[in-house]
Amino acid sequence: MRLVGSPISLCPPKGSQSTKVLDLSSNLLSGELPLSLPSSTQVVDLSNNQLSGPIPSLFFQQAKNLTSFRVSNNMFSGSMPSSVCHHLSPLIRVLDFSFNLFNGSLSSGLGECSKLEVFRAGYNNISGVLPEDIYNIAKLEEFAMPFNSLDGVIGDGIVNLTNLAILDLHVNQLRGKLPLGFGNQFHGDISALNFSKLTQLTILDLLSNNLNGSLPMSLYSCKSLKAIRLGINDIEGQIHPEILSLKSLSFLSISHSRLSNITKAMNILKHSKSLVFLSFVFSFKADEESPADFGITHFEGFQSLRFLNLRGCNLAGEIPKWLSKIKNNLAVLSLADNKITGVGKQYKYLSFFPRAIKLRHNRFHGNIQSANWTVSKA
């Protein structure tokens, strides 16, 4: 179906039964939205179409019963509708504006959606600071605005969002000077963050912002955490043993940072039974050459690890021997951009390597035939 020209109508014909659920997702609808929604509508899903133009300021005026509104993957433009929560505050639980062409700042008023659980507006061009009233939405479980142009600081009121499970603000311009409510003082680094009240947090994604400092110790109070991504910031310091208190942590990525003591980090993280994905790409100091075996002699660990990326971590000498101990689990290994010079006898058979291994830009030398790698019959 393709509708072109005048705005489409979402109202049922006169005399027909009221529409409560309107799902027109994944079609070829085009054009602009009508001026308003019928008052009986509870669920609207127009995602994955070709709808365009601004969302009319009066569009939600009659929609007193609306609980879910999804318009992701369209071409809507203009400002985010600031009036949405003025009319929807009693019932609305889901708002999804992601993957559109919205611009301008996020106006205040979102805090009036007192029952809002999910707010998504990623992959637009929304700028400015986060309005303070969003921290009044006590039931909020997911707040996702990646790939925008947000700047300023994260407000101190975020500690009030005790039901927050997903905080996704990657690829923005948030600064490292953090608010008073995140710590005991007004500090200029991420270590001042106070996560201790966010006990439901499962995903923390702050990739590619302007944050700095070391990992906050309060983060280890978030026992539900499954994924942490903090790369392309200015994170420094060391990995602490307290990270092992995150029993559900399966994804850890801190790339392009200034961490130190990779030996300590690997000796701690090897005890994690849940870790599946681990990436430290270009995250250790250029002047820190760690021994290729990390001082590990009797190795038992990384029981669940499937993906390991130690690219650009200044590893020297032979490929670490302990990697051969986790070969049955490891599917992808990257040791590219290091100072590795060769392989040990334990790697005589190619079967000791994962299915995918990257060793480019190292210091291997000599005749490749002398490696005498063969395929194991085991």
Side-chain angles (χ1 to χ4, degrees), residues 250-322:
S250 60
F251 183 103
L252 177 62
S253 178
I254 309 177
S255 60
H256 298 273
S257 295
R258 294 190 297 120
L259 299 176
S260 59
N261 203 339
I262 189 174
T263 300
K264 177 181 177 182
M266 300 305 290
N267 274 282
I268 291 172
L269 293 171
K270 73 178 183 180
H271 295 292
S272 172
K273 297 180 180 180
S274 58
L275 201 58
V276 175
F277 183 106
L278 178 60
S279 178
F280 284 133
V281 177
F282 289 107
S283 281
F284 288 88
K285 294 180 179 179
D287 59 354
E288 178 188 351
E289 286 196 15
S290 297
D293 249 357
F294 304 116
I296 299 175
T297 54
H298 303 288
F299 181 83
E300 290 183 6
F302 289 120
Q303 296 179 8
S304 303
L305 196 64
R306 299 283 292 167
F307 183 102
L308 177 61
N309 196 339
L310 298 177
R311 179 186 176 193
C313 287
N314 283 285
L315 305 183
E318 294 183 343
I319 293 177
K321 296 181 178 65
W322 58 266

Side-chain angles (χ1 to χ4, degrees), residues 20-282:
K20 293 185 177 181
V21 177
L22 179 64
D23 186 352
L24 290 170
S25 61
S26 300
N27 279 285
L28 295 174
L29 294 172
S30 63
E32 299 182 357
L33 290 180
L35 293 179
S36 64
L37 273 173
S39 59
S40 61
T41 308
Q42 296 178 2
V43 176
V44 174
D45 192 345
L46 300 174
S47 57
N48 299 305
N49 280 286
Q50 300 171 16
L51 300 171
S52 58
I55 295 180
S57 58
L58 301 178
F59 182 74
F60 299 101
Q61 188 170 16
Q62 299 179 35
K64 302 294 185 181
N65 297 304
L66 196 64
T67 62
S68 178
F69 184 72
R70 302 174 188 266
V71 291
S72 63
N73 286 292
N74 280 284
M75 295 180 288
F76 288 112
S77 57
S79 300
M80 293 279 294
S82 59
S83 62
V84 56
C85 289
H86 295 307
H87 307 296
L88 303 181
S89 56
L91 297 174
I92 191 70
R93 287 176 169 80
V94 177
L95 289 172
D96 190 349
F97 299 102
S98 53
F99 291 96
N100 278 284
L101 302 173
F102 290 112
N103 53 43
S105 60
L106 188 63
S107 303
S108 60
L110 196 62
E112 296 184 35
C113 289
S114 59
K115 294 188 177 181
L116 188 65
E117 297 173 357
V118 175
F119 180 78
R120 298 173 184 149
Y123 299 87
N124 284 284
N125 191 29
I126 300 170
S127 58
V129 300
L130 293 173
E132 287 292 323
D133 66 343
I134 65 171
Y135 308 124
N136 299 329
I137 313 173
K139 294 184 180 294
L140 195 63
E141 298 177 3
E142 178 181 346
F143 187 78
M145 293 191 67
F147 277 91
N148 279 289
S149 300
L150 298 173
D151 56 22
V153 299
I154 301 174
D156 57 354
I158 200 170
V159 295
N160 299 324
L161 304 180
T162 56
N163 289 304
L164 195 64
I166 298 175
L167 177 60
D168 186 354
L169 295 171
H170 72 271
V171 190
N172 276 284
Q173 300 171 27
L174 298 172
R175 297 194 300 271
K177 183 172 284 190
L178 297 170
L180 188 64
F182 269 70
N184 296 323
Q185 302 178 35
F186 195 86
H187 288 290
D189 61 69
I190 195 173
S191 61
L193 282 163
N194 184 0
F195 286 93
S196 59
K197 293 183 179 180
L198 305 184
T199 56
Q200 304 301 313
L201 193 65
T202 60
I203 298 176
L204 176 65
D205 192 346
L206 297 174
L207 173 76
S208 189
N209 279 282
N210 294 320
L211 303 172
N212 56 57
S214 58
L215 288 175
M217 296 299 291
S218 63
L219 187 63
Y220 307 133
S221 300
C222 304
K223 305 301 183 184
S224 299
L225 263 176
K226 296 180 179 178
I228 299 173
R229 187 163 68 157
L230 298 173
I232 317 181
N233 282 287
D234 193 22
I235 307 300
E236 59 185 1
Q238 300 184 13
I239 301 295
H240 295 282
E242 286 79 4
I243 198 171
L244 296 177
S245 65
L246 305 178
K247 303 297 185 183
S248 299
L249 187 66
S250 60
F251 183 103
L252 177 62
S253 178
I254 309 177
S255 60
H256 298 273
S257 295
R258 294 190 297 120
L259 299 176
S260 59
N261 203 339
I262 189 174
T263 300
K264 177 181 177 182
M266 300 305 290
N267 274 282
I268 291 172
L269 293 171
K270 73 178 183 180
H271 295 292
S272 172
K273 297 180 180 180
S274 58
L275 201 58
V276 175
F277 183 106
L278 178 60
S279 178
F280 284 133
V281 177
F282 289 107

Side-chain angles (χ1 to χ4, degrees), residues 329-343:
N329 291 328
L330 203 59
V332 179
L333 170 65
S334 178
L335 299 173
D337 296 289
N338 281 292
K339 303 172 184 178
I340 296 173
T341 57
V343 297

